[in-house]
Amino acid sequence: MKKKKAYNVAVIGVGVVGQMMLRILKERNFPIKNLRVFARSARQIQVDGISYDVQVISPEGFEGVDIALFAGTEGEKGASVTFAGEAVKRGAIVIDNGADFRMDPDVPLVVPEVNPKDAKKYRKKGIIANPNCSTIQMVVALWPIHKVVKIKRVVVSSYQAASGAGRGTVEQLFKETKEILDAGCRMPALPAGRQEAGRIEPESCILNHESKILPKQIAFNVLPHIGSFGESDYTSEEWKMVRETHKIMHSDKIKISATTVRVPVRTGHAEAIYIETKKDFSLDQLRELLKNSAGIELIDDPKNNLYPLPIEAEDKDAVFVGRIRKDPYVKNAFWLWVVSDNLRKGAALNAVQIAELLIAKK
Amino acid sequence: MKKKKAYNVAVIGVGVVGQMMLRILKERNFPIKNLRVFARSARQIQVDGISYDVQVISPEGFEGVDIALFAGTEGEKGASVTFAGEAVKRGAIVIDNGADFRMDPDVPLVVPEVNPKDAKKYRKKGIIANPNCSTIQMVVALWPIHKVVKIKRVVVSSYQAASGAGRGTVEQLFKETKEILDAGCRMPALPAGRQEAGRIEPESCILNHESKILPKQIAFNVLPHIGSFGESDYTSEEWKMVRETHKIMHSDKIKISATTVRVPVRTGHAEAIYIETKKDFSLDQLRELLKNSAGIELIDDPKNNLYPLPIEAEDKDAVFVGRIRKDPYVKNAFWLWVVSDNLRKGAALNAVQIAELLIAKK
């Protein structure tokens, strides 16, 4: 890519990820000459007090664009399927947060802390794919470990926030939560010592919605279903954590198996990651390594009740790692508790970091 | 124990578990001659429309009691430490839901679907211990598998409801949730297409409470901290899942490692359980086996979005199992998603089932 003082940038999509991209481009002072914002319909939006004119997306709109950041669409084919080719034809490099191109062998899948050099391999299609949110935070934590002691195996269970499924899902979470509070659902048994007749029916914590975005109620519930069910009864989200990790880390030898679960959290995915490594490692070595690794912030002081939490990760850039432990029975096996803002490092920030790789001087 | 037509029963404690014990004794028509309810202070309570006189607990109160069900106290030494011996001295058999006696070699730890015969070994101390909620639902699911193909290894991550930590924690969950809704915390970025200035600060989803029961905010958060931190930085809850399982299943050869996490759910614990077995097993065999096992209800039809959910397990007796899958890369390795009502099968129901074992005719 030809280096310039400033670039013509397009952001496609103004949902939670698109808006976060606008915020992060500003925060990081990305050198922008001209910014275009595209969506299906024209409107004006404000993000952090700044006004943006949203134009209707069209092939011609990409004329003169250097970098096109596609925010991606949850659960359906993204705008990139229709428009990435049009943007590339007109000279843009596309960075796509959607899932459509991630496993294309001609499209690099990049996490800057892990495989920055892959970003240079975009020429065949002109597209660089941004990985899935749950994959990104996992590989940021795994990569420094893999480089030193080789990871043989990963068993991971996730605790994923509503915003990972878009704005509508966050709205579903808050709407359901409010309805349940309004319905008076409180205690699982009568409060002790009160003279109330009858019992509070637990059914009042269950809602019957007509239209939902998630397949089931998310308020006061956990939902072992993200994406759609596929091969071997794993969900698409679970397969993403396997296959995207293999591609990013350039190793399909790592045995990865995942259970992904939606939890009633606004933003911030958590993952309980169990790994087996080829070589041994002391916990002190592991902590020292992670503390000094790119993109990671270590919060691992259980004696003082310090460990990563979704509410504290929200609106932060880092991948937070804590609760580091050895399996008491199995050699070279460890737990990590990994939390990150799924809209930032899990989506918009990672995409902007890829753009930064493209414009880097060296 | 001498068999009678009806028994003098005492319930000690009237928190969420004690009240659930009263409900379940009634539901199952436990043959009660005389029922006494004890707590630290005298009062009258109503459970399911029935009035109970709560008396102040005292050694003399156990005079004539056949079976004493101690509800247990979360996070501190239970009443059983002081009063179990007094009850036994007066001829009662104690069934203790607290943690104080569980690992005592002279006290059997019983899940009726798994090790019913152990219930007969109470004579040394007169006490039978009820296991921890997260352990009970796990061993109900593991035991039929272990009998057929031997379980070598368990890696488990839990999603545990607030009521597992008592009434106060449920109150904390609902209080915090209400405060957050009242504070207007909604979206992680501005809703698209609206002309609002500024941004909604994500900080408004974080509360600063002075007094909390849990160490951190639970509303819209997940908390990788249940119990207290101990050996090797595992929590007491995580060690319970290891050591209690070993004791109940009579095998300390099984390699178990756990991460336990509190989630903003009222009642109903979920567990993502990954197991490795000695012998192979087809998924059809596994499903057939679990479907026909005591205490288990199989909900495993992902194509129709059917899998166990905490909100649907609440107030039900079964341990629900679903999302059964094979690890695509590792031989003899499986996932189970296991959900159960932590106050019923995880506490009060299991205790009453132990009492039923004691009075069974054969």
Side-chain angles (χ1 to χ4, degrees), chain A residues 109-172:
Chain A
L109 185 65
V110 176
V111 176
E113 291 84 350
V114 179
N115 60 338
K117 285 181 189 161
D118 285 352
K120 297 190 198 308
K121 300 179 198 159
Y122 62 82
R123 283 195 180 78
K124 274 193 187 159
K125 286 229 161 121
I127 302 172
I128 302 171
N130 206 42
N132 189 46
C133 43
S134 54
T135 308
I136 292 177
Q137 69 184 67
M138 181 166 81
V139 297
V140 167
L142 295 186
W143 180 245
I145 301 171
H146 188 62
K147 276 195 293 184
V148 180
V149 288
K150 286 269 172 269
I151 291 173
K152 284 164 53 185
R153 188 169 177 186
V154 177
V155 175
V156 55
S157 298
S158 73
Y159 303 69
Q160 297 184 226
S163 65
R167 190 160 50 91
T169 305
V170 180
E171 281 168 4
Q172 180 182 330

Side-chain angles (χ1 to χ4, degrees), chain A residues 231-261:
Chain A
E231 197 189 327
S232 308
D233 286 342
Y234 283 84
T235 62
S236 50
E237 185 81 2
E238 286 156 358
W239 279 117
K240 285 174 187 173
M241 293 189 79
V242 177
R243 294 185 176 135
E244 294 183 11
T245 300
H246 283 165
K247 181 168 175 174
I248 298 162
M249 290 176 55
H250 293 276
S251 165
D252 53 12
K253 293 275 160 56
I254 304 171
K255 294 166 176 164
I256 305 171
S257 193
T259 294
T260 59
V261 181

Side-chain angles (χ1 to χ4, degrees), chain B residues 7-300:
Chain B
Y7 299 81
N8 293 330
V9 174
V11 169
I12 300 89
V14 292
V16 283
V17 174
Q19 294 200 26
M20 194 59 88
M21 283 171 163
L22 295 171
R23 173 180 293 178
I24 287 172
L25 286 167
K26 205 80 199 165
E27 274 179 8
R28 296 172 76 90
N29 292 314
F30 194 87
I32 292 177
K33 192 172 155 199
N34 178 270
L35 177 69
R36 295 179 206 167
V37 184
F38 295 119
R40 282 191 201 142
S41 60
R43 70 197 105 156
Q44 219 190 32
I45 61 163
Q46 292 219 357
V47 176
D48 302 330
I50 299 165
S51 216
Y52 297 87
D53 283 317
V54 183
Q55 300 168 254
V56 176
I57 190 167
S58 72
E60 298 71 31
F62 290 98
E63 214 64 68
V65 168
D66 298 307
I67 298 169
L69 294 160
F70 282 77
T73 309
E74 190 63 33
E76 48 176 303
K77 294 287 171 192
S80 60
V81 175
T82 314
F83 293 102
E86 299 291 345
V88 171
K89 209 195 291 177
R90 287 166 177 82
I93 301 174
V94 166
I95 299 168
D96 182 22
N97 184 53
D100 303 300
F101 293 100
R102 287 183 194 147
M103 297 313 296
D104 185 325
D106 294 332
V107 172
L109 186 65
V110 176
V111 176
E113 292 84 351
V114 179
N115 60 337
K117 286 181 188 161
D118 284 353
K120 297 189 197 307
K121 301 178 197 159
Y122 62 82
R123 282 193 180 79
K124 275 193 185 159
K125 286 230 161 121
I127 303 172
I128 302 172
N130 206 41
N132 189 46
C133 42
S134 54
T135 308
I136 292 176
Q137 68 183 68
M138 182 165 81
V139 298
V140 167
L142 295 186
W143 180 246
I145 302 171
H146 188 61
K147 276 195 292 185
V148 180
V149 287
K150 287 269 172 269
I151 292 173
K152 285 163 53 184
R153 188 170 175 185
V154 177
V155 175
V156 54
S157 298
S158 74
Y159 303 70
Q160 296 183 228
S163 65
R167 191 160 50 92
T169 305
V170 181
E171 281 168 4
Q172 180 182 330
L173 168 62
F174 282 103
K175 184 172 175 288
E176 287 179 353
T177 302
K178 188 173 181 309
E179 282 176 40
I180 287 170
L181 291 191
D182 290 349
C185 164
R186 288 291 186 284
M187 290 298 305
L190 286 174
R194 303 223 188 116
Q195 297 284 348
E196 295 172 57
R199 75 195 230 199
I200 296 172
E201 293 297 325
E203 286 71 22
S204 62
C205 260
I206 302 183
L207 299 167
N208 283 306
H209 281 305
E210 284 300 307
S211 70
K212 284 183 231 170
I213 293 174
L214 293 183
K216 308 275 177 176
Q217 176 184 320
I218 184 63
F220 302 106
N221 200 16
V222 300
L223 200 43
H225 178 181
I226 302 182
S228 52
F229 286 99
E231 196 189 327
S232 308
D233 286 342
Y234 282 84
T235 62
S236 51
E237 186 81 2
E238 287 157 357
W239 279 116
K240 285 174 188 173
M241 293 190 78
V242 177
R243 293 184 177 134
E244 293 183 12
T245 300
H246 283 165
K247 181 168 176 175
I248 297 162
M249 290 178 53
H250 294 275
S251 165
D252 53 12
K253 292 276 159 56
I254 304 171
K255 293 165 177 165
I256 306 171
S257 192
T259 295
T260 59
V261 181
R262 188 78 66 196
V263 295
V265 166
R266 187 175 70 165
T267 289
H269 289 353
E271 294 170 350
I273 306 178
Y274 179 93
I275 59 169
E276 269 182 63
T277 60
K278 204 168 170 185
K279 291 188 216 152
D280 197 17
F281 221 30
S282 79
L283 287 180
D284 284 345
Q285 285 173 306
L286 180 51
R287 287 199 185 94
E288 197 57 27
L289 175 77
L290 291 173
K291 206 165 64 185
N292 297 309
S293 294
I296 292 177
E297 197 169 309
L298 196 70
I299 305 182
D300 194 19

Side-chain angles (χ1 to χ4, degrees), chain A residues 8-27:
Chain A
N8 293 330
V9 174
V11 169
I12 299 91
V14 291
V16 282
V17 174
Q19 293 199 25
M20 195 59 90
M21 283 172 164
L22 295 172
R23 173 180 292 177
I24 288 172
L25 286 167
K26 206 80 199 166
E27 273 179 10

Side-chain angles (χ1 to χ4, degrees), chain A residues 13-144:
Chain A
V14 291
V16 282
V17 174
Q19 293 199 25
M20 195 59 90
M21 283 172 164
L22 295 172
R23 173 180 292 177
I24 288 172
L25 286 167
K26 206 80 199 166
E27 273 179 10
R28 297 172 76 90
N29 292 313
F30 194 87
I32 292 177
K33 192 172 154 197
N34 178 270
L35 177 70
R36 294 178 208 168
V37 183
F38 294 119
R40 280 189 203 146
S41 60
R43 70 199 105 155
Q44 217 188 32
I45 61 164
Q46 291 219 356
V47 175
D48 303 331
I50 299 164
S51 215
Y52 297 87
D53 282 317
V54 182
Q55 299 167 254
V56 176
I57 190 166
S58 72
E60 299 72 31
F62 290 99
E63 215 64 67
V65 168
D66 298 307
I67 298 168
L69 295 161
F70 281 78
T73 310
E74 190 63 33
E76 48 176 305
K77 294 287 171 191
S80 61
V81 175
T82 313
F83 292 102
E86 300 290 345
V88 171
K89 209 194 292 178
R90 287 166 178 82
I93 301 175
V94 165
I95 299 168
D96 182 20
N97 185 54
D100 303 300
F101 293 100
R102 286 182 194 149
M103 297 314 295
D104 185 325
D106 293 333
V107 172
L109 185 65
V110 176
V111 176
E113 291 84 350
V114 179
N115 60 338
K117 285 181 189 161
D118 285 352
K120 297 190 198 308
K121 300 179 198 159
Y122 62 82
R123 283 195 180 78
K124 274 193 187 159
K125 286 229 161 121
I127 302 172
I128 302 171
N130 206 42
N132 189 46
C133 43
S134 54
T135 308
I136 292 177
Q137 69 184 67
M138 181 166 81
V139 297
V140 167
L142 295 186
W143 180 245

